[in-house]
Amino acid sequence: MTNIEQALNRPNAWLADEVDIIVVGAGHAGCEAALATARLGCRTILFGMNLDVLANLPCNPNIGGTAKGQLVREIDALGGEMGKLADRTMIQFRMLNTSRGPAVLSPRAQIDRRRYQEAMKHVVENQPRLLLRQGEIVDILVESEDGKLRVVGVQTKTGAVYLGRAVIAATGTYMEGRIIIGERQYDGGPDNLFPSIGLAESLRRLGLPLQRFKTGTPVRVNAHSIDFDQLERQDGDKRIVPFSFSNEDGVDLKSDEQRPCYVTWTSLETGRIIRENLHRSPLYSGVIEGIGPRYCPSVEDKFVKFPDKERHQVFFEPMGWDTEELYLQGMSTSMPEDVQVRMVRSLPGCEHAVIQRSAYAIEYDCLDPTCLKPSLETRAVSGLFGAGQINGSSGYEEAAAQGLIAGINAVRLLRGQEAVIIDRSQGYIGVLIDDLVTKGTREPYRMMTSLAEYRLLLRQDNADARLTPIGREVGLIDDERWAVFVARQSRIKAEIDRFHKTRVKPGKQVNDLLMQKGSSPLKRGCSLAELIKRPELNYAVLAPLDPARPALCESEQFAVEVELKYEGYIRLEAERMAGFRKMEKKMLPPDLDYMAIRGLRIEAQQKLQHIQPISVGQASRISGVSPADISVLLIYLQTLDKKTIGGGERNDG
């Protein structure tokens, strides 16, 4: 009896539908995956536990941030949806790291939670070939084909069987979810929703390795109960930079309409309350088993791990235009509710705070991502993909990026096409996925700029130049947007060339302007490209010396300025990148038996056999594989016939 027949023989079972691709989970990963597959021509069904919270933002009401903003820009450059909806629903915008240089500039926006959810739901509902269905998936159905498991469908909690040739699991923090508040714990998902029960066991039966992680959400308070005069006001930027390259003309939000955030610090009393109640904290009483995020710890964890710091920052973040509910970022905790009230009221301005939602920790099951290929397909089951927090990551942006790539590759698998793999030199998306599938993670993975070796080249401003050609080749960038992209890149290149060719001669007007800007006067002629490299000068400042310049929008001017100012560094980075890509293009046979390669250390053999890297470059990044092991591997490859290696080099697109 086949797996499908077994499923249909269960009580109340029935065959509901047959589609090309099934997406399990309607969070940020699931929505991007489903939209991509449908837009690429596949009949798709997207399952959500509760369609009223599709694309939910339970942990914080913002999108973007350090490194995360780069991810959103890359998602948009490839043809994804998150950036467009963030532009439509933002209530405040800030560009982070403006004092640190273009390599780490990161856009971040406060988002109206409800409007974002409603907007995404409407986009999904209006997408041709995409069916949206409320339902809980409890079983992944597979069949054996030549000794290899192949996915064939799913079964819901109510018994309905849906057949599909590929399945993308994007379960977020719902799998076997458990809510923990002090001594109380119960099965549950984010925002007091139902958990997913049974799917994790189905994945275990398929031989997929699972691990247990934890995350949390801070308290939310009523704005009318806060004394904002005691807090530091934090307004948005006057210049709003859209997340989507299709919105270069601007967004609807005006700079003077943005909602403010506020900042304060924990007090000595906050620390005292926490320390006196640590014995009641699930983190330290042994109640919590899952591993939490290192870079977003609970507030009690901060006081324990950093005893030398007397205070910690707290941000008051609005949830939307039509609500008075505020997140207290920095106050994530799983302390009992009575302790939470005292902690919050110990903050400046919060003496009479009214908590609308208590903070909580949530434990959930997720995959060990080293069971995935770089395409995000599982090695154990053909056609089964993982995307988002099920892969051990954290964050909406990381989830959406994986969902988009999983969706693209699910379609390409069904069509017999080569998977799209963004490498580390092409985007933060490549860094994210490579880190997960090559190194794995023992805590919720968070994208950071420090993880990207080529961050000067992987800037938020040039995400389109790097990735839109790939989005076009895949089929997610239409003719109109492609024409706009080509014209934009042409203008930027032409202006860079013009700056190199345009000469400026010494003279009163020139030197007066330079001295006014604190720059030394010219003694001989030079190009505009040489002048703009001076730290005190920029594209706008040089306008009086350059009457022939074309009309470029602000983003194009910025792109020109960065490329010229950092030209030398960019050239050096590109040279380093060339060496990296050479190793990435040395492909490894998919069936290589590493245990049979003499000269490899045992640890290296075991790690390589487990990960099954697709290239020598990926093999070199596996923990436990040394440079000496790579040398042995390269020598071994030289002894193999080129036909065995399988065609030699990978196409970057």
Side-chain angles (χ1 to χ4, degrees), residues 409-467:
N409 285 331
V411 173
R412 293 178 75 84
L413 177 72
L414 298 191
R415 293 175 177 169
Q417 297 172 319
E418 184 180 355
V420 167
I421 297 170
I422 310 296
D423 71 40
R424 301 179 74 91
S425 68
Q426 292 176 299
Y428 275 81
I429 292 176
V431 176
L432 163 68
I433 293 175
D434 183 63
D435 277 353
L436 288 171
V437 305
T438 303
K439 302 174 183 177
T441 182
R442 290 295 173 261
E443 61 188 45
Y445 178 97
R446 178 178 179 173
M447 191 72 251
M448 302 175 69
T449 54
S450 60
L451 298 173
E453 303 93 320
Y454 307 106
R455 53 187 171 275
L456 182 56
L457 299 178
L458 307 184
R459 306 185 309 274
Q460 58 84 28
D461 64 278
N462 69 354
D464 59 338
R466 292 183 280 112
L467 297 177

Side-chain angles (χ1 to χ4, degrees), residues 588-595 597 609 612 633 636-637 640:
L588 294 167
D591 55 351
L592 188 58
D593 182 5
Y594 294 95
M595 304 305 289
I597 301 178
Q609 195 72 22
Q612 288 292 314
L633 189 57
Y636 179 80
L637 289 176
L640 296 178

Side-chain angles (χ1 to χ4, degrees), residues 16 47 64 159 206 217 234 242 253 325 407 465 531 596 645 650:
F47 283 98
L206 296 176
T217 294
Q234 192 176 71
L253 181 66
E325 201 169 356
L531 267 185
I645 297 177
R650 186 183 78 222

